[in-house]
Amino acid sequence: MTLFRLECKTHIKTLLIWIIVVGLLTLGLVSLFPAMKDMGLQQMDLKSMPKEMLKAFNLSDMGLLATIKGYFGYEYQYVMIATGIFAAMLGTNALSREESEGTISYLYAQPISRISIIGQKMLANSILYTLYWIVSMAVAFLVCLIFKESGASVSNLFKAFSQLTFAGWVMGLTFLAVGFLLSSLLSSNKSATSLSLGLVFLTFILGVVGKLKEDFQALVYFSPVDAALPSAVFKNGIEWNYIVTDLIVICISCLLALWIYRRKDLKV
């Protein structure tokens, strides 16, 4: 498990930075809730805007912004996008970094197979993402408890966050797995960041388009972010059809990454 430990050690600093930044961002966003609630933004007139547009950007019911669940659900969707980028970056860097930095020759000098290489890297990065997500959700829940409106049910809030924690975990693993697939095709990690950004924003836009027009509703299944939108999870619970789709994508991506990497001519 030497490679597993090395992989965790390599990313521990990045993990801590992301946790701190996302935690502070969450605190900053949620701390604005009392002021926003007093401003009465839920009473804004949105009748002039198309219903499809409001639905696409999760603003169908502005009245929900007067509750901590509704406000958090809307604001945190942008943190979910950042979370997807973090997971995708972990995946796209995992395999390509070894060739780009020349450390693949060190791995080849060890009694380790390619299956073991990709298996340990998948395990290490999955654990790193899981730690990031659990800590982020714990911070978000505590912050929401501090700034929630009077009379809000703590048990209902905990149930909603439990569902969001699971849905967001699956979302991140989906981007991580697709990132692994891309990494198995790359021989350099120079384009890993741009690929991660492109992957997340492209799928997010597909989800928006899918909600804008019923004819394109199937596009929502290509958007892992939509499977874990806080506003949707808080309102309707977990959408299992999206979760199953994500799990299928995870399995296919991991198997393809393994198949490609085993047959790839590595640059030593």
Side-chain angles (χ1 to χ4, degrees), residues 205-216:
I205 291 172
L206 288 176
V208 171
V209 173
K211 288 181 288 187
L212 280 173
K213 195 171 183 180
E214 290 187 2
D215 294 343
F216 301 128

Side-chain angles (χ1 to χ4, degrees), residues 84-144:
I85 293 172
F86 172 65
M89 288 179 63
L90 284 177
T92 52
N93 275 292
L95 300 173
S96 58
R97 188 185 73 251
E98 303 296 346
E99 290 185 79
S100 181
E101 297 178 359
T103 52
I104 190 65
S105 56
Y106 167 77
L107 291 181
Y108 268 2
Q110 308 301 315
I112 185 173
S113 65
R114 290 195 183 187
I115 293 178
S116 183
I117 290 175
I118 194 171
Q120 291 188 47
K121 281 182 170 287
M122 283 182 175
L123 178 60
N125 284 281
S126 296
I127 290 176
L128 288 169
Y129 169 72
T130 301
L131 287 173
Y132 156 81
W133 185 238
I134 290 176
V135 174
S136 298
M137 281 287 93
V139 171
F141 178 68
L142 291 175
V143 172
C144 284

